Amino acid sequence: MSTVEDATGEYAFLAKLVQRMDRHLVFPLLEHQLGDENISQQRYDDIKLAIFNLLKNTNMIDFVGNLYNEINKTDNIPAEYAKKREDVLSTLAKFEAESAHLTNLLNDEAVTGQLRSDKVANLKFLEEQHGVTQEMVDNLYDFGRFRYECGLYPEAADLLYRFRVLSTDNDKVVKATWGKLVCEILGEEWESALEEVEKVKEHIETRLFNNPRAQLTAREALVHYALFPFFNYEPAREKLTDLYFSPAYISSIQTACPWILRYLSAAVITNRARLNNSHNYQKQLKDLVRVVKQEVYEYQDPVTEFVKALYVDFDFEGAQKKLSEAETILRGDFFLGSSTDAFMESARHLISESYCKIHQRIDIKDLSSRLGLSDAEGEKWIVNLIRDTKVDAKIDYQAGTVVMNHPPQSVYQQVIEKTKGAFFRTQVLSAAVAKS
């Protein structure tokens, strides 16, 4: 792509993502960029050309041919495309014929009902009773890969699954599992995709690698692939957050791809609406702050800077500014666009909760400004906050303030709370002095 001014750095950010992904997964990310209403014609043309170059060596020949026509503004498809189309159809027919016998057997419940978990025994049974050869099994893998290159993802996923059930070739089984994961993602079969993430993770953690870097590279790839179910399938959110925070994977993120912290930060903050003040959420938030603080010199964007401003610098004005910048970034992000409103809602709660910890009386106009809301929106927000979180507070409408009430505590609890409050205020003061 040609060099075009990129004020937010989003194209550079996109380049980091696509370098770690299979070419078929890159396609939806590039296509998403075409939907930007502010995109220039030059950028639009650049991305169209990038998609063409990305897919021209696949077997998605009809799609590539149409792209060629659009880019070159012609109705005439080169003869080489027509020839390749014939070759693709011929190869598909050949694979169909060669795999028909084994496919029919695997569709027969009378046969599959006799299969067990022992792959060696299954192959022996199929060979002795039905004339199945190792070549037929390997043909399922090759056929699955070919269909995948044609963009026939559900069919490819089915073939790779059947191959995996029968094959004793561990290397090919691992490749088939990665391939099936991509196919389930592109078919938007999110529950199945999450299952494949677990299988790939199991392969990565139990397989013997030739060197540690190979294992790191595999973890790095899985972290990127998992972004698809992470933000498209609600039941995946907590499971994948735990995966990213696990020691091996957070280490891989910090070492090889710190930009993933944008997504981890967004996930943790958005999780607040579901987990509220549960122990698990507080641990996630604490771990996130620690990692963002550690990686501040390696990677920053408005999302991670919001976390830093609020929980490391205790800078409420800075947090509000970064939250506004983060909203713009998130709405244009392929993975996070649909979560933006939930993120903003949760982030405002976090700002207000932190703000209330160090103030006895809060000016509604001031807090509204810090949350990026109008006075009327801010007042409504605060009323809902008090109702939803059940904090002990009341609104003095005449004075335009919120008064935080604290229930009577034992002497011991008062000492503990005062000590905690003094420590918190000391941190805030230290951060303010450091910035001045």
Side-chain angles (χ1 to χ4, degrees), residues 68-112:
Y68 176 91
N69 284 356
E70 183 180 345
I71 292 169
N72 294 281
K73 297 179 173 56
T74 178
D75 293 329
N76 300 319
I77 297 178
E80 63 186 273
Y81 286 93
K83 173 66 166 62
K84 186 171 181 179
R85 188 176 193 279
E86 290 180 8
D87 291 343
V88 168
L89 293 175
S90 174
T91 304
L92 280 173
K94 179 173 177 290
F95 272 123
E96 287 278 7
E98 291 176 349
S99 63
H101 177 59
L102 182 52
T103 299
N104 290 336
L105 287 174
L106 295 177
N107 287 334
D108 187 340
E109 292 184 5
V111 175
T112 56

Side-chain angles (χ1 to χ4, degrees), residues 52-68:
F52 175 78
N53 288 328
L54 179 76
L55 300 177
K56 66 181 181 182
N57 292 324
T58 69
N59 293 325
M60 299 167 66
I61 197 63
D62 289 337
F63 182 78
V64 172
N66 290 333
L67 267 179
Y68 176 91

Side-chain angles (χ1 to χ4, degrees), residues 73-251:
K73 297 179 173 56
T74 178
D75 293 329
N76 300 319
I77 297 178
E80 63 186 273
Y81 286 93
K83 173 66 166 62
K84 186 171 181 179
R85 188 176 193 279
E86 290 180 8
D87 291 343
V88 168
L89 293 175
S90 174
T91 304
L92 280 173
K94 179 173 177 290
F95 272 123
E96 287 278 7
E98 291 176 349
S99 63
H101 177 59
L102 182 52
T103 299
N104 290 336
L105 287 174
L106 295 177
N107 287 334
D108 187 340
E109 292 184 5
V111 175
T112 56
Q114 299 181 63
L115 299 180
R116 300 293 179 262
S117 59
D118 187 337
K119 290 184 179 182
V120 174
N122 288 338
L123 285 173
K124 186 175 181 181
F125 161 74
L126 290 172
E127 179 183 2
E128 293 177 349
Q129 299 297 320
H130 302 283
V132 172
T133 65
Q134 184 63 51
E135 185 179 358
M136 290 179 183
V137 175
D138 290 337
N139 186 67
L140 292 178
Y141 176 80
D142 295 333
F143 192 10
R145 287 193 60 178
F146 192 83
R147 273 189 156 162
Y148 162 75
E149 287 296 332
C150 293
L152 302 171
Y153 304 118
E155 297 90 339
D158 184 58
L159 285 163
L160 293 173
Y161 168 76
R162 294 180 179 214
F163 167 78
R164 192 170 65 187
V165 166
L166 295 175
S167 178
T168 56
D169 186 330
N170 289 333
D171 288 340
K172 277 191 173 181
V173 166
V174 170
K175 291 177 182 177
T177 303
W178 279 98
K180 188 170 185 293
L181 169 58
V182 175
C183 289
E184 301 294 7
I185 289 171
L186 293 168
E188 298 186 359
E189 298 291 342
W190 302 121
E191 185 174 359
S192 297
L194 184 59
E195 292 175 2
E196 295 306 316
V197 167
E198 291 294 325
K199 287 183 171 62
V200 169
K201 176 178 177 287
E202 184 180 349
H203 284 307
I204 292 173
E205 303 311 317
T206 59
R207 184 183 178 195
L208 293 176
F209 287 84
N210 293 329
N211 59 75
R213 176 60 201 175
Q215 189 175 43
L216 175 62
T217 300
R219 287 180 182 142
E220 185 183 352
L222 181 59
V223 160
H224 284 79
Y225 287 26
L227 290 174
F228 289 88
F230 202 169
F231 293 101
N232 284 286
Y233 183 53
E234 186 65 29
R237 191 68 56 84
E238 190 166 358
K239 183 174 289 188
L240 290 176
T241 303
D242 290 341
L243 170 68
Y244 282 36
F245 271 129
S246 64
Y249 283 82
I250 197 64
S251 176

